[in-house]
């Protein structure tokens, strides 16, 4: 059996099992909490007895189309897809009882306002500061503490520090296995993608051992080139670029918020203020281009390009995402190796043009 079938099929099966368990969790009267940005400290939600899920799936042109009935057409595809799936009560979005509305940009803020006001879902707004200072981190922690108090009052639950710590420690074990898998460049792009999206949904209990098992049972991916991929988050279905690179035998180092940036970094947890510590640790994860200043983002890309011996840099931007796309000229001029910056959505229309650009980019390498 090939390595692709071992890892992808195992992840798909485990993903389905987790969704079934999640629905049983809801049926028992417990809550599922959804969020989109890795700055949210999911262990805090686990400490409240909720099942935290990072909802980055069911992205499609169809979902975008439904979303455009609620928002402007020139809104980020991720926001439109989110709105479309919630409004149609489809997929994992239908299983979310509580949304943490992480305001990472104006488009997401407006989108979460629609989820609350027009779609009548429970949304707890949380501003994610773009400035990276100690005061900004403390302000972010104060918002998470406010969310905890509101959730306790609204749902009659109490924060359990032991439960939160257990979730956090198991999650860190899984994250360490994922980080090693990425840095080895011996796992194919699509397999890494499947593992990360399982990480976003699954309970962490036993997940590290699961990852180790499927990696040991598979063949190593033999790559001809190495590419660092950064930019906007990749949803579960957003695999066109990864498929093209894998077919060409190219390893991908995902240096985005659905890759290394959601598992590397952060701070050690201090038990005397667990909620604040979890919050500041999550806030201190490697930031995306929205950070001000964003010099640290460029430094991290440069360090990763050097440490991995990468042959080039791909910057995948979602359409209308100004945080990344407006940096394209600076990105091209900063790094002394081939750089390809492109924007995309979830439709099939631009796939051929995109694949042609990737082919040309790989020829340059």
């Amino acid at each position: 059996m090939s390595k692709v079938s071992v890892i992808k099929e195992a992840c798909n099966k485990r993903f389905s099992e987790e969704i079934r368990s999640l629905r049983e969790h809801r049926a028992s009267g417990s809550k599922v909490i959804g969020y989109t940005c890795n700055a949210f400290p999911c262990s805090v939600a686990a400490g409240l007895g909720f099942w935290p899920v990072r909802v980055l799936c069911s992205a499609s042109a169809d979902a975008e189309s439904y979303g455009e009935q609620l928002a402007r057409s020139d809104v980020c595809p991720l926001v439109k897809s989110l709105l479309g799936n919630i409004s149609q009560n489809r997929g994992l979005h239908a299983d979310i009882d509580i949304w943490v509305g992480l305001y990472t940009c104006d488009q997401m803020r407006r989108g979460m306002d629609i989820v609350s006001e027009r779609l009548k879902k429970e949304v707890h707004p949380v501003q994610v500061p773009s400035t990276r200072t100690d005061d900004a981190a403390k302000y972010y922690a104060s918002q998470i503490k406010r969310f905890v108090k509101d959730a306790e009052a609204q749902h009659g639950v109490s924060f359990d520090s032991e439960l939160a710590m257990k979730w956090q420690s198991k999650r860190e074990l899984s994250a360490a296995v994922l980080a090693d898998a990425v840095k080895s460049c011996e796992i194919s792009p699509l397999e890494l993608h499947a593992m990360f999206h399982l990480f976003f949904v699954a309970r962490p209990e036993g997940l590290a051992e699961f990852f180790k098992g499927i990696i040991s049972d598979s063949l190593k991916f033999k790559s001809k080139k190495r590419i660092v991929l950064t930019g906007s988050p990749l949803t579960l279905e957003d695999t066109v670029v990864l498929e093209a690179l894998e077919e060409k035998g190219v390893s991908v180092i995902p240096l985005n918020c659905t890759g290394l940036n959601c598992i590397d970094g952060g701070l050690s947890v201090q038990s005397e203020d667990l909620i604040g510590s979890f919050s500041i640790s999550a806030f201190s994860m490697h930031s995306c281009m929205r950070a001000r200043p964003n010099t640290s983002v460029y430094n991290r890309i440069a360090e990763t390009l050097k440490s991995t011996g990468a042959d080039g840099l791909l910057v995948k931007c979602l359409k209308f995402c100004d945080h990344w796309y407006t940096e394209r000229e600076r990105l091209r001029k900063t790094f002394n190796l081939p750089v390809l910056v492109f924007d995309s959505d979830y439709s099939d229309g631009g796939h051929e043009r995109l694949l042609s650009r990737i082919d040309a980019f790989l020829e340059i390498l």
Side-chain angles (χ1 to χ4, degrees):
M1 186 178 286
S2 71
K3 174 176 178 280
V4 170
S5 64
V6 168
I7 291 183
K8 286 187 63 181
E9 289 182 10
C11 285
N12 290 341
K13 181 181 178 182
R14 179 71 178 256
F15 192 97
S16 297
E17 290 170 352
E18 292 292 333
I19 297 300
R20 282 196 295 271
S21 296
L22 180 148
R23 288 171 180 161
E24 291 171 0
H25 173 85
R26 290 188 75 214
S28 71
S30 299
K31 303 295 183 182
V32 175
I33 190 163
Y35 63 99
T36 57
C37 175
N38 66 286
F40 178 66
C42 62
S43 297
V44 169
L48 289 166
F50 301 147
W51 184 319
V53 174
R54 191 175 180 198
V55 188
L56 293 173
C57 57
S58 302
S60 65
D62 185 43
E64 278 195 70
S65 179
Y66 281 116
E68 286 182 9
Q69 297 176 22
L70 297 163
R72 291 167 41 147
S73 59
D74 60 348
V75 167
C76 157
L78 181 60
V79 174
K80 289 190 292 187
S81 182
L82 179 80
L83 292 174
N85 284 314
I86 295 175
S87 68
Q88 298 302 305
N89 211 36
R90 301 196 307 185
L92 183 57
H93 298 72
D95 294 309
I96 304 302
D97 301 296
I98 305 164
W99 288 94
V100 178
L102 293 143
Y103 292 170
T104 49
C105 65
D106 189 58
Q107 296 183 64
M108 185 59 77
R109 178 186 66 79
R110 292 175 184 271
M112 281 297 171
D113 286 347
I114 292 172
V115 173
S116 173
E117 296 167 9
R118 296 179 61 181
L119 300 180
K120 305 302 180 184
K121 303 295 183 182
E122 181 181 341
V123 177
H124 294 261
V126 175
Q127 176 67 41
V128 184
S130 58
T131 53
R132 294 286 157 162
T133 63
D134 289 343
D135 286 342
K138 291 175 183 176
Y139 171 68
Y140 181 69
S142 72
Q143 292 184 87
I144 299 298
K145 291 177 181 179
R146 183 253 307 154
F147 153 71
V148 169
K149 289 182 179 179
D150 290 347
E152 287 177 328
Q154 193 162 343
H155 295 281
V157 296
S158 297
F159 180 77
D160 184 330
S161 58
E162 185 176 340
L163 191 60
M165 278 299 301
K166 182 179 179 181
W167 186 283
Q168 180 71 14
S169 61
K170 297 295 184 182
R171 183 176 171 84
E172 287 177 357
L173 291 175
S174 305
V177 178
L178 273 179
D180 288 342
V182 171
K183 294 168 185 177
S184 74
C185 292
E186 295 176 347
I187 311 296
S188 81
L190 289 171
E191 291 163 347
L192 283 175
H193 186 70
M195 291 169 72
F196 270 100
H197 278 274
L198 178 59
F199 177 74
F200 298 150
V201 171
R203 297 157 296 181
E205 185 73 35
L207 192 60
E209 292 75 16
F210 171 79
F211 284 150
K212 289 177 182 177
I214 60 176
I215 290 171
S216 67
D217 289 343
S218 61
L219 301 174
K220 294 180 180 179
F221 180 67
K222 296 179 180 179
S223 59
K224 303 172 184 176
K225 297 287 183 180
R226 294 180 178 182
I227 296 292
V228 169
L229 172 66
T230 191
S232 304
L234 290 179
T235 61
L236 179 61
E237 298 78 15
D238 194 4
T239 58
V240 175
V241 173
L242 299 178
E243 289 170 359
L245 294 172
E246 184 166 319
E247 184 179 340
K248 300 287 185 181
V250 177
S251 287
V252 171
I253 299 98
L255 196 69
N256 50 18
C257 70
T258 47
L260 280 177
N261 285 356
C262 76
I263 55 176
D264 272 355
L267 304 171
S268 60
V269 174
Q270 305 298 320
S271 58
E272 58 268 20
D273 178 15
L274 203 58
I275 296 172
S277 186
F278 279 143
S279 304
I280 292 175
S281 182
F283 180 77
S284 302
M285 297 292 282
H286 295 289
S287 57
C288 67
M289 200 60 82
R290 68 183 293 272
R292 292 295 179 269
N294 59 19
T295 306
S296 62
V297 180
Y298 281 86
N299 291 342
R300 177 159 167 79
I301 293 172
E303 290 166 5
T304 305
L305 289 169
K306 182 178 180 180
S307 65
T308 60
D311 301 285
L313 174 67
L314 284 180
V315 185
K316 185 181 184 301
C317 313
L318 286 171
K319 281 186 177 179
F320 313 117
C321 180
D322 292 339
H323 290 312
W324 280 100
Y325 200 62
T326 54
E327 298 278 338
R328 60 191 181 277
E329 290 306 320
R330 182 182 170 196
L331 284 160
R332 289 170 182 146
K333 293 176 181 178
T334 298
F335 305 107
N336 189 29
L337 79 179
V339 178
L340 174 61
V341 184
F342 57 92
D343 63 355
S344 61
D345 57 17
Y346 303 131
S347 68
D348 297 332
H351 285 181
E352 286 192 16
R353 182 178 66 87
L354 174 57
L355 294 176
S356 295
R357 293 188 66 191
I358 291 175
D359 282 344
F361 176 73
L362 295 178
E363 285 188 18
I364 293 173
L365 302 186

